[in-house]
Amino acid sequence: MDERIDGTRVAVLVANEGVEQVELTEPWKAIENAGGRPALIAPQGGEVQAFNHLDKGDTFPVDQPVSETSADDYDALMLPGGVANPDQLRTSAEAVAFVKAFFAAGKPVAAICHAPWTLVEADVVRGRTLTSWPSLQTDIRNAGGTWVDEEVCTDQGLVTSRKPDDLPAFCAKMVEEFAEGRHPAQASSVS
């Protein structure tokens, strides 16, 4: 990874419980190593309880509750997976609106594993090609997207991957897209 995103502010949006730890920590490190400034955003302040599949992992301090921030405060958005994480996020109107605002502004977004569930809820997959954990493919298709089984997929500033094994390719492509910045075509496709 030789791309630099010095000073790029990246919102990392997760639920307060259920994020897959490696899908949080590895992209976080990639953002920092490329010079970016990640911030952990969650529905509530306090801490985030991460998981290693079904076992509790570490906790991480929330930098800001989603209700106290705006997509205007960030240059890019990263959505880690974990089954419970996006399932909870998609029930939070504030979290869904936060995600939708990144697309409306044409800002780059990266989502891995089950995270596209939140994108489906935000109604931002219509007309896009993306990948995810295989169990989401019907949801993505029903929401108007095209699902592909690929290690990493990029579509107008949206980077997606399937699972933790894809993290090296995902992190490299995420940093590359974050370095490119806004994608005007992305903004025009969001209503």
Side-chain angles (χ1 to χ4, degrees):
M1 231 183 307
D2 53 1
E3 295 277 346
R4 297 298 302 167
I5 56 171
D6 295 320
T8 299
R9 300 160 301 159
V10 180
V12 180
L13 178 64
V14 299
N16 288 87
E17 184 174 63
V19 65
E20 185 69 28
Q21 185 162 319
V22 71
E23 293 175 359
L24 169 62
T25 58
E26 290 304 306
W28 188 283
K29 285 182 212 168
I31 292 164
E32 286 185 327
N33 289 342
R37 297 183 347 223
L40 192 59
I41 310 299
Q44 287 87 38
E47 291 185 331
V48 165
Q49 175 65 62
F51 280 76
N52 296 309
H53 192 51
L54 298 175
D55 299 322
K56 280 189 176 181
D58 297 326
T59 59
F60 299 88
V62 173
D63 291 308
Q64 205 165 21
V66 73
S67 63
E68 295 177 15
T69 192
S70 163
D72 294 338
D73 299 333
Y74 299 96
D75 304 302
L77 174 65
M78 193 275 154
L79 298 166
V83 178
N85 175 48
D87 193 48
Q88 292 178 53
L89 281 179
R90 65 187 179 157
T91 65
S92 165
E94 290 173 327
V96 171
F98 186 69
V99 169
K100 193 166 188 150
F102 280 87
F103 282 85
K107 295 180 180 180
V109 175
I112 188 167
C113 202
H114 288 80
W117 260 341
T118 309
L119 303 179
V120 166
E121 192 65 32
D123 193 24
V124 295
V125 303
R126 189 171 317 283
R128 295 181 187 282
T129 300
L130 61 156
T131 193
S132 67
W133 186 253
S135 65
L136 276 66
Q137 61 185 294
T138 299
D139 296 326
I140 289 167
R141 288 182 182 127
N142 287 343
T146 300
W147 187 86
V148 293
D149 184 11
E150 295 176 5
E151 181 180 49
V152 65
C153 179
T154 306
D155 186 329
Q156 301 173 36
L158 171 62
V159 178
T160 53
S161 283
R162 304 168 299 188
K163 57 189 174 186
D165 289 349
D166 298 339
L167 278 164
F170 175 75
C171 290
K173 186 52 93 171
M174 171 191 69
V175 168
E176 179 184 319
E177 289 298 310
F178 289 0
E180 287 181 15
R182 290 179 188 258
H183 290 69
Q186 180 176 323
S188 65
S189 66
V190 178
S191 54

